[in-house]
Amino acid sequence: MGRTAYRIVQEALTNARKHAPGAAVAVRVAGAPADRLTVEVHNAPSPGAVSGPDSGEGGGQGLIGLAERARLAGGELSAGPDGGGFRVRAWLPWPAADPVSATDRG
């Protein structure tokens, strides 16, 4: 789950830099064991030139890969325009910690 969350944040930040240069970006990671982890990356509207599928740059393949990665981990991912910017939000299962393996280190 940790690697999947990391990869989602990494790709979303890369996309924000590429498609909304200079825009403010917020990253939120929240959750609890035995519940789920929410990963959210939102960029504000770009103060400069915007690039994206309509400009001939990119085609959403990174987002398709992230959605597949989230699904394979038992979660889901949504992405799309939000308030003039763009938001990527993922929900990943976070299993309860196993008390035996957490304390048995030797």
Side-chain angles (χ1 to χ4, degrees), residues 10-40:
Q10 181 183 41
E11 179 70 17
L13 290 173
T14 298
N15 287 345
R17 185 186 67 200
K18 179 179 177 183
H19 299 295
V25 180
V27 176
R28 185 176 74 86
V29 180
D35 190 13
R36 67 182 186 176
L37 182 70
T38 300
V39 177
E40 188 171 68

Side-chain angles (χ1 to χ4, degrees), residues 14-105:
T14 298
N15 287 345
R17 185 186 67 200
K18 179 179 177 183
H19 299 295
V25 180
V27 176
R28 185 176 74 86
V29 180
D35 190 13
R36 67 182 186 176
L37 182 70
T38 300
V39 177
E40 188 171 68
V41 180
H42 177 260
N43 64 270
S46 176
V50 177
S51 64
D54 294 337
S55 69
E57 291 184 43
Q61 295 300 312
L63 292 174
I64 291 169
L66 288 184
E68 177 69 6
R69 184 182 293 261
R71 187 187 66 74
L72 289 171
E76 59 185 84
L77 182 131
S78 66
D82 185 6
F86 199 83
R87 182 176 310 272
V88 174
R89 184 180 294 141
W91 299 273
L92 302 170
W94 188 347
D98 179 358
V100 173
S101 64
T103 58
D104 184 21
R105 301 282 184 217

